[in-house]
Amino acid sequence: MVGRLMKVNAYTTLDLVDCKTRTADGETTGLGVANATSAREDPDCVRFQFEADGQPEGVAAHVDELELAPEQARELAGALETHADRVDAAQGDDASD
Amino acid sequence: MPTDVEEWKDDIYGTDIRAHIERFAEEGWDSIPDEERDAWFERFKWYGLYHQRAGQESYFMMRIGTPNGVLEPGQLRVVGEVAREYATGPVDNPEFGDSWADFTTRQSIQLHWIKVEDVVDVWDELESAGLSTVQACGDSWRNIVGCPVAGKDDHEHVDALETVHEFQSEFKENDRYRNMPRKWKVAVTGCVEGCGQGEINDLAFDPATKDGVKGYNVRVGGGLARNEPRLARDIDVFVPHEKAATVADGMSALFEAYGNREDRYSARMKFLVDEWGTEKVRETLQDEFVDFELQSAGEGFRDSYSYNAGRENDGHDDHVGVHPQADGRNYVGLNVLVGRMGTEDVLELAALADEYGSGEVRLTQRQNVIVTDVLDEDLEDLLAEDLLVDYEPDPSPFMRGSIACTGTEFCSLSIVETKNRMVRYARHLRDNVELPDEVEDFHVHLSGCTASCAQPQIADVSLRGMKTRKDGEPVEAFDLGLGGGLGENPRFADWVGERIPADEVPGAIGNVVETYKREREGSETFRDFVERHDEDALEDLVEPEETSYEDPMMHNTKRTWYPYAEDDDMAASPAPTDRNDVPLDQGDDAAPADD
């Protein structure tokens, strides 16, 4: 195991997130770290980073990073909000209290 | 384009800051304009003041820089008195009470819950004893570290303390290097056991000989943070003892000129060395920053380095215990679990140092304390003192080997609770896990996040704060590493366990130790045992398990305002407060706070 590549501290957006890694050969589930950030000075894009704790056989340890223009970041945020509402509503129906 | 921190520093930095802090002290916390707070907090660091985290606004950690960890006679008592009067907060720590001093992994002292209104009084008291907080934090020369018994050690090749004093007066007691691109950590080692831990410093001086002349070999670019650990690299330079300051100056100037000011995250020297390589560093130093011919490296002593090395040999892994000094007296190293000592104990220790030694004490990079200058005939009485029951010279390996950073108690970077937890871990391991008889050293370094202030990568068992899910709930957890250490072949740990729930870590350590005992070859040390295994095999060695160990802080302590408050909800925080810990009214229609 190479060990975690991302630095992780209290400012990391999500230090605990469920994830799936899918390759042509199959799918593995596990935990990971996700972080939205931008350069401290003069940021030119929003960075959305993700690292799964472990990788399936044959997949090297790595961090994936999206470089988002502001409008892309907002679009993503909007889509995430919409789906969050949907999940809340669905879970609310099933909730026992 | 320079960072905004660079711009704030351009406006006001260095000793200019003092006048402003004095003004804020007089006018109170509220006089620091809201919109300027970030800028001011950055500048306060130059004077050793670090604003505590969310939920603890208006409180500061204060770091006292004690070069090479030396506290001259009288100084420890003053630290205790300052702690007693000023380092108390609105709430107690259940393990350590209402005030304490933290001995750090850079041989300095940290006090918490300091109010800006008290800073001038605190400085007056500290300065009257010759103590200083200047440049303890911030983009400057940090506290100079080294073998804590430099100048007294009987394994000393060269008097490193003399060099440390020279560096202190030339580079720290003035504005010369007031504005480096980033922190600058320097280690000077004169003993032959590697106690200065130069490997993890930006600039390291290690004892060496060349053509019969005693001096230092120079390395640069070590550091552990941000999950980018590096060992300091050899630039093939030897400098005679009395010329060490010229090279220190040259290298500092090189970093000052060439360090990255565009991106603070890439600013440490280790990244410059990565980018340039050691040859270019040496060439640039030679061409631009020294006016004499640099000699190539001399003969060092790395093969006898034992400090934090985890090997079988005759040398020390730490400074705990009774040891002879070169002058025939003794030094007595005491274990301070996680480096924290309650204020009354600090004062008692100062009294014992006066009575049995010369009054001097020294701090180590393993968060422990040493009473120096004890005569043979006084040893027995000192060792019989009550205080040494709590701060043992002969502790269990798990107690003696524990290091922990500040954690969510005060630090805004940490993900998990640290010091109180490491105390619980150490006690549990001491009581429930048996090491082979002759094994005296077992190092467990617990850090709250990847900033690595507890130096997790260089321990037998490395722990780094994370989160996981247990029984459906997010809980505090640790990534676990094995097999780190310094010595002749310094090495960083392999991270072989991930997200182990905090209450299963002692079980994991216990299981690894059981396997070690069962499968070790001859009398091999834990580090040797780990190095025999490849990563896959090491992963199999890590078996988290619930045991009799109970952890009261599994919940998300970084979301509390203080983990040990009865009502720890962020909304229950009294902060910000006035100088008497009374909450300052934040509402528009509120009556003014009493002062």
Side-chain angles (χ1 to χ4, degrees):
Chain A
M1 191 194 292
V2 166
R4 212 171 287 291
L5 294 174
M6 276 174 72
K7 78 167 164 67
V8 187
N9 59 37
Y11 293 104
T12 306
T13 313
L14 298 172
D15 54 23
L16 175 66
V17 67
D18 293 287
C19 64
K20 273 197 175 94
T21 303
R22 192 163 63 242
T23 66
D25 301 321
E27 202 172 83
T28 54
T29 56
L31 297 172
V33 174
N35 191 42
T37 187
S38 53
R40 219 172 132 151
E41 294 309 313
D42 232 14
D44 61 0
C45 66
V46 175
R47 297 182 184 283
F48 187 61
Q49 303 159 333
F50 172 71
E51 183 180 5
D53 279 7
Q55 295 297 336
E57 202 69 46
V59 182
H62 64 276
V63 177
D64 290 307
E65 184 170 296
L66 305 180
E67 293 176 354
L68 303 164
E71 48 290 1
Q72 288 177 315
R74 289 194 185 96
E75 194 170 334
L76 183 58
L80 289 169
E81 293 254 19
T82 303
H83 287 284
D85 290 341
R86 291 191 68 232
V87 172
D88 262 346
Q91 299 304 305
D93 288 348
D94 297 342
S96 52
D97 60 334
Chain B
M1 182 169 152
T3 68
D4 59 4
V5 174
E6 290 297 317
E7 284 173 14
W8 297 332
K9 287 194 292 177
D10 270 345
D11 285 342
I12 307 166
Y13 209 57
T15 50
D16 300 336
I17 301 172
R18 178 142 182 160
H20 293 277
I21 298 182
E22 287 174 358
R23 181 171 51 86
F24 293 135
E26 191 165 320
E27 296 172 20
W29 162 258
D30 266 348
S31 67
I32 309 174
D34 272 348
E35 68 281 7
E36 291 175 28
R37 284 223 166 116
D38 282 349
W40 283 113
F41 294 163
E42 202 60 42
R43 293 177 186 127
F44 283 12
K45 289 177 187 174
W46 208 85
Y47 269 92
L49 287 168
Y50 231 107
H51 193 231
Q52 291 178 196
R53 66 171 179 83
Q56 298 170 4
E57 293 81 5
S58 77
Y59 290 100
F60 291 85
M61 177 274 278
M62 175 182 271
R63 186 179 292 155
I64 303 167
T66 42
N68 210 75
V70 176
L71 281 146
E72 284 158 20
Q75 289 183 335
L76 185 66
R77 184 179 43 77
V78 169
V79 168
E81 285 166 358
V82 163
R84 181 200 270 160
E85 186 164 357
Y86 299 105
T88 61
V91 63
D92 286 2
N93 179 304
E95 183 64 47
F96 295 101
D98 75 344
S99 77
W100 58 80
D102 283 341
F103 304 140
T104 76
T105 55
R106 282 200 78 74
Q107 297 171 273
S108 54
I109 301 169
Q110 288 180 178
L111 304 177
H112 291 97
W113 299 121
I114 304 292
K115 303 248 77 187
V116 70
E117 293 88 350
D118 290 331
V119 164
V120 174
D121 293 335
V122 170
W123 280 341
D124 283 346
E125 262 191 72
L126 294 176
E127 281 158 18
S128 72
L131 290 164
S132 171
T133 66
V134 171
Q135 296 194 53
C137 316
D139 293 343
S140 55
W141 269 68
R142 294 298 185 88
N143 194 43
I144 305 166
V145 298
C147 173
V149 288
K152 304 209 157 151
D153 181 37
D154 70 351
H155 297 112
E156 204 160 56
H157 173 68
V158 62
D159 187 349
L161 195 58
E162 215 175 276
T163 306
V164 169
H165 286 153
E166 215 187 319
F167 288 4
Q168 180 76 10
S169 79
E170 278 206 44
F171 308 120
K172 288 210 68 169
E173 286 166 2
N174 51 53
D175 273 0
R176 189 159 172 183
Y177 285 111
R178 63 193 259 160
N179 187 359
M180 305 286 265
R182 207 61 169 90
K183 62 187 81 169
W184 186 235
K185 295 184 175 180
V186 180
V188 183
T189 307
C191 74
V192 301
E193 298 187 319
C195 312
Q197 303 202 128
E199 296 88 340
I200 57 169
N201 278 264
D202 294 294
L203 174 60
F205 291 84
D206 275 272
T209 312
K210 182 139 180 144
D211 302 329
V213 173
K214 291 188 179 187
Y216 303 100
N217 281 342
V218 179
R219 293 179 168 244
V220 292
L224 298 177
R226 301 196 67 234
N227 211 6
E228 299 268 12
R230 301 285 189 279
L231 295 169
R233 279 141 288 177
D234 185 357
I235 55 163
D236 195 26
V237 169
F238 170 84
V239 62
H241 179 245
E242 69 280 2
K243 290 194 92 162
T246 56
V247 171
D249 195 10
M251 195 58 76
S252 303
L254 186 155
F255 179 58
E256 185 183 41
Y258 289 105
N260 189 331
R261 291 184 192 265
E262 309 294 304
D263 174 8
R264 285 180 70 75
Y265 292 140
S266 304
R268 289 293 294 279
M269 185 66 183
K270 64 187 177 185
F271 296 122
L272 185 64
V273 179
D274 281 355
E275 198 189 313
W276 281 10
T278 52
E279 273 180 39
K280 181 173 175 179
V281 171
R282 190 187 201 282
E283 262 166 41
T284 311
L285 177 67
Q286 177 70 83
D287 293 343
E288 298 180 32
F289 298 105
V290 295
D291 59 10
F292 58 93
E293 181 88 16
L294 291 168
Q295 296 179 61
S296 60
E299 182 92 20
F301 295 87
R302 184 159 288 280
D303 58 3
S304 64
Y305 279 15
S306 56
Y307 190 74
N308 199 25
R311 307 291 193 199
E312 248 182 309
N313 51 37
D314 295 324
H316 305 161
D317 253 77
D318 62 25
H319 294 87
V320 178
V322 180
H323 303 279
Q325 293 178 184
D327 64 3
R329 293 183 289 183
N330 302 277
Y331 70 83
V332 180
L334 304 177
N335 181 47
V336 181
L337 192 51
V338 305
R340 180 165 286 179
M341 194 177 256
T343 292
E344 296 310 313
D345 290 346
V346 170
L347 292 164
E348 173 67 11
L349 180 65
L352 294 184
D354 275 336
E355 188 179 341
Y356 294 102
S358 60
E360 181 193 74
V361 301
R362 301 217 178 172
L363 308 177
T364 82
Q365 291 187 55
R366 299 197 57 75
Q367 302 180 320
N368 293 323
V369 71
I370 301 171
V371 177
T372 53
D373 304 330
V374 181
L375 293 167
D376 282 344
E377 56 261 34
D378 292 329
L379 276 175
E380 201 179 323
D381 286 341
L382 171 58
L383 295 174
E385 287 280 349
D386 282 344
L387 189 70
L388 272 62
V389 171
D390 291 327
Y391 304 100
E392 301 169 276
D394 188 17
S396 134
F398 293 118
M399 300 288 275
R400 138 189 225 161
S402 300
I403 289 183
C405 69
T406 297
T408 52
E409 189 178 5
F410 298 115
C411 176
S412 61
L413 285 174
S414 184
I415 298 174
V416 301
E417 186 220 11
T418 56
K419 282 199 195 273
N420 282 27
R421 173 172 280 137
M422 189 67 237
V423 168
R424 296 191 296 272
Y425 281 177
R427 288 179 183 151
H428 174 89
L429 294 170
R430 174 198 60 194
D431 296 339
N432 295 282
V433 178
E434 233 180 86
L435 286 161
D437 277 340
E438 82 283 8
V439 171
E440 289 186 334
D441 299 291
F442 195 91
H443 292 182
V444 180
H445 296 187
L446 188 157
S447 236
C449 72
T450 54
S452 305
C453 304
Q455 303 172 0
Q457 298 93 331
I458 50 168
D460 293 306
V461 173
S462 316
L463 298 171
R464 198 172 56 191
M466 272 302 285
K467 295 266 275 311
T468 194
R469 196 173 291 116
K470 184 165 172 161
D471 303 325
E473 291 298 311
V475 295
E476 298 200 343
F478 289 92
D479 285 347
L480 187 149
L482 295 174
L486 300 179
E488 191 175 351
N489 299 299
R491 197 169 161 275
F492 296 132
D494 283 320
W495 294 98
V496 289
E498 285 185 327
R499 301 189 194 261
I500 300 174
D503 62 346
E504 296 178 30
V505 165
I509 297 176
N511 287 336
V512 135
V513 169
E514 281 310 307
T515 308
Y516 160 60
K517 280 191 328 212
R518 210 172 46 237
E519 298 182 5
R520 72 197 284 230
E521 284 174 5
S523 59
E524 72 181 344
T525 64
F526 184 77
R527 184 178 171 190
D528 290 335
F529 167 76
V530 167
E531 283 181 356
R532 269 202 293 117
H533 294 70
D534 67 27
E535 275 190 41
D536 287 336
L538 286 177
E539 279 175 45
D540 293 338
L541 289 184
V542 180
E543 294 168 45
E545 188 181 344
E546 281 181 10
T547 57
S548 58
Y549 173 80
E550 279 177 18
D551 198 303
M553 297 284 149
M554 295 293 282
H555 58 285
N556 200 347
T557 60
K558 77 175 198 252
R559 291 260 161 82
T560 66
W561 77 269
Y562 184 71
Y564 313 116
E566 209 170 299
D567 183 355
D568 63 8
D569 199 85
M570 200 56 94
S573 166
T577 61
D578 68 13
R579 69 191 310 159
N580 298 312
D581 299 329
V582 174
L584 285 167
D585 237 319
Q586 301 291 288
D588 288 341
D589 53 351
D594 285 347
D595 237 297

